[in-house]
Amino acid sequence: MATVSPTTIGVVGAGTMGRGIVQLFVQAGHTVYCHDAQPGAAAKAIDYVDGMFARAVEKGRLAAADHEGARHRLKACNTLADLAGCELVIEAIVEDLAVKRALFRELEGLLGEQAILASNTSSLTVAEIASACQRPERVAGLHFFNPVPLMKVAEVIAAVRTAPAVVRRLSELTEGAGHRAVVTADQPGFLINHAGRGLYTEGLRLVEERVAAPADVDDVLREALGFRMGPFELLDLTGLDVSSRVMASIYEQFQQEPRFRPSSLVPPRVAAGLFGRKSGEGWYRYVDGQPQRPPARPLPPLPEALAVWVDPAASGADGLRGLMAAAGARLVDGPGNADLCLVMPWGEDATGAALRLGLDATRCAAVDPLPPLALRRTLMLTAVTSPAVRDAAHALLAKDGTAVTLINDSPGFIAQRVMATIVNIAANIAQRGIASVADLEDAVRLGLGYPQGPLSWGDRLGAARLLEVLRAQLAATGDPRYRPSAWLQRRVALGLPLTTPEAER
């Protein structure tokens, strides 16, 4: 039941999103009127929602009496005029600015002066929609995610002229329906799509630079860091045709901000129709809906009595030395007598680490110190690591059965680069006041399914280390996409958690 006073709500648009919004608010105790311009669509949507409630009763998740009550609160409308008595109308129609503006203009003429108009837009600026209205202070965004009843978060978007009372009321209604309401400014991508840019853009950049293949990036991020899916698995799921438009739109709306620069790898794949699951092939090929993953790299034979030196100054040196000893390697104190030299740099490539330490780059490789060594391990080669040294390092790291991913040289490994980018974008969101720290953290967990909120995750991994990675990336590439956020730099300098809010003024 609703935890706020029952409200009469209208939903315009009877597609997937509209049906989900109807279901959510009816189940929360509100009366909901549904309208669609397509004749009969609203009635079908009401029947669909009623069927969802009936299945919930069959499975014991909803009482029969509650289903009966919900059925009486479900209303199909043939005309927009039937929404005249609604206190809130939520638009969930086509992503076309002109069409939305015309709808809001018509709705405003039908509804009372205190009624709220909300758009479920995912990509348009709410202020542009509201500019068609005589009362823009009564207009806001209310962006849900598919499937609406299961995705327990919604963005309440405050346009520049939206009244604070409207934001509060939409938040109350959303929270009363069991969803976390996160309040965000009317900025490109709002909050969740904005915060999610790092995973996609840096994953694509790694493949552009031939650091790793798409499956390698996905494996490391999923198994070593705990993402539900890697960026290329996600791109195939959402459809590269859709995701490419979102990437381009956010980049352009942010005045071509380098942090959101799309990848040149994407347009040729879209042109070729490689959209992902729905086209049968994307970054992966699909058979019966299942991705066909590349075969695992063959495990090389384990060499006997290999002399291994581990950089003693590395943050994970003790763990790596123990791992090498358990695999049968002979540990040596100096690199001059070693068959294999292992380094564990932060933000530095293997070649740079070898040169800095005066090592023979042909006998050197790097292991990522970021994820725990008990999880999937990443082995980075220098530009000239010999095949024998490569195979020996691989065999030793995999001796206990843990999977190993081999990558080419890069200033920062897969995990380091992606996490530094994600945390940096989140820190910039906080710096710009697009959302509060609490809303940002919850939005990313609930909306993107990340194991933690980005700022608290950055603290757990080591904010100073991630800042080191960004600075090294910026120095190595000169690319402004890696410039560190002021929020991140200040909190590291002060020794404060990244979740620390700005001082009151």
Side-chain angles (χ1 to χ4, degrees):
M1 297 296 292
T3 58
V4 294
S5 58
T7 298
T8 304
I9 297 173
V11 175
V12 180
T16 301
M17 294 302 295
R19 291 197 306 260
I21 295 168
V22 169
Q23 180 180 336
L24 178 71
F25 283 114
V26 167
Q27 191 162 346
H30 305 289
T31 298
V32 181
Y33 289 78
C34 180
H35 172 74
D36 195 282
Q38 182 71 25
K44 289 180 181 179
I46 295 303
D47 289 343
Y48 174 87
V49 172
D50 186 59
M52 294 297 292
F53 290 148
R55 282 191 285 277
V57 172
E58 292 172 3
K59 295 179 179 180
R61 296 199 298 261
L62 184 69
D66 289 337
H67 177 202
E68 187 63 24
R71 178 180 286 130
H72 289 297
R73 296 194 300 276
L74 279 166
K75 312 287 184 181
C77 301
N78 292 323
T79 68
L80 280 179
D82 294 331
L83 304 177
C86 292
E87 300 161 74
L88 163 66
V89 175
I90 304 167
E91 164 272 311
I93 63 172
V94 63
E95 284 289 273
D96 184 296
L97 178 61
V99 175
K100 289 181 188 290
R101 284 165 57 95
L103 172 65
F104 272 55
R105 192 180 297 112
E106 185 174 359
L107 285 170
E108 190 178 47
L110 296 169
L111 302 173
E113 291 189 0
Q114 295 306 305
I116 297 172
L117 289 173
S119 174
N120 186 56
T121 181
S122 61
S123 61
L124 300 174
T125 303
V126 176
E128 288 186 300
I129 300 171
S131 66
C133 298
Q134 296 296 314
R135 297 185 294 277
E137 70 278 3
R138 306 300 298 172
V139 179
L142 186 57
H143 181 214
F144 291 93
F145 296 83
N146 189 38
V148 175
L150 300 181
M151 293 292 288
K152 299 293 185 179
V153 65
E155 296 172 318
V156 178
I157 301 121
V160 289
R161 297 182 68 179
T162 304
V166 168
V167 173
R168 288 194 296 271
R169 182 56 178 161
L170 290 176
S171 297
E172 290 169 356
L173 288 167
T174 301
E175 298 273 354
H179 279 36
R180 173 71 163 89
V182 293
V183 178
T184 175
D186 190 16
Q187 289 289 290
F190 305 133
L191 178 52
I192 293 173
N193 279 332
H194 183 171
R197 292 305 90 200
L199 180 63
Y200 291 127
T201 58
E202 197 60 21
L204 285 161
R205 179 57 62 89
L206 285 158
V207 173
E208 276 183 23
E209 296 173 7
R210 299 184 64 80
V211 173
D216 295 327
V217 176
D218 286 344
D219 288 344
V220 168
L221 296 178
R222 190 176 359 88
E223 297 176 26
L225 287 179
F227 286 89
R228 291 180 185 174
M229 301 179 79
F232 298 96
E233 294 165 325
L234 276 169
L235 287 167
D236 273 5
L237 179 64
T238 58
L240 196 58
D241 53 334
V242 175
S243 296
S244 65
R245 291 195 296 270
V246 174
M247 287 188 281
S249 173
I250 289 178
Y251 176 61
E252 293 298 334
Q253 289 182 68
F254 268 116
Q255 311 299 314
Q256 300 185 346
E257 161 60 54
R259 290 189 181 102
F260 309 123
R261 187 190 305 119
S263 171
S264 62
L265 296 178
V266 171
R269 301 185 76 84
V270 172
L274 301 178
F275 302 149
R277 289 176 184 261
K278 62 186 177 184
S279 66
E281 186 173 357
W283 299 103
Y284 299 91
R285 189 169 61 86
Y286 293 83
V287 176
D288 297 327
Q290 297 301 311
Q292 304 303 294
R293 305 187 65 81
R297 189 184 187 94
L299 186 61
L302 186 67
E304 295 183 6
L306 192 77
V308 177
W309 176 81
V310 176
D311 177 14
S315 59
D318 290 343
L320 186 56
R321 284 174 62 87
L323 191 65
M324 293 295 101
R330 179 169 57 87
L331 297 174
V332 295
D333 293 331
N337 300 321
D339 301 308
L340 166 64
C341 297
L342 292 176
V343 295
M344 303 181 79
W346 284 90
E348 189 178 24
D349 62 16
T351 297
L355 293 173
R356 175 174 54 82
L357 295 169
L359 307 176
D360 178 356
T362 65
R363 293 186 288 123
C364 184
V367 178
D368 192 353
L370 175 56
L373 286 172
L375 302 176
R376 177 178 280 271
R377 296 159 188 155
T378 302
L379 177 67
M380 183 197 297
L381 310 178
T382 74
V384 292
T385 301
S386 73
V389 168
R390 174 200 65 203
D391 291 348
H394 183 187
L396 287 167
L397 285 170
K399 176 64 166 57
D400 63 357
T402 302
V404 176
T405 295
L406 271 68
I407 66 172
N408 290 328
D409 218 353
S410 162
F413 295 76
I414 294 170
Q416 290 183 22
R417 287 178 58 167
V418 171
M419 284 309 306
T421 302
I422 287 172
V423 171
N424 196 40
I425 288 173
N428 202 52
I429 288 172
Q431 183 67 58
R432 295 184 56 170
I434 290 172
S436 70
V437 168
D439 281 358
L440 168 61
E441 292 281 285
D442 286 349
V444 169
R445 282 192 309 102
L446 296 171
L448 297 175
Y450 291 3
Q452 284 185 255
L455 299 180
S456 56
W457 202 358
D459 284 329
R460 182 171 69 82
L461 296 176
R465 290 293 195 187
L466 296 177
L467 177 58
E468 185 180 351
V469 172
L470 289 167
R471 286 173 170 164
Q473 286 282 106
L474 182 61
T477 66
D479 191 338
R481 72 179 265 103
Y482 297 112
R483 67 194 191 282
S485 161
W487 181 283
L488 174 61
Q489 294 183 81
R490 289 171 185 145
R491 278 147 189 79
V492 169
L494 292 168
L496 296 173
L498 295 179
T499 52
T500 306
E502 294 281 72
E504 293 186 9
R505 53 176 177 154

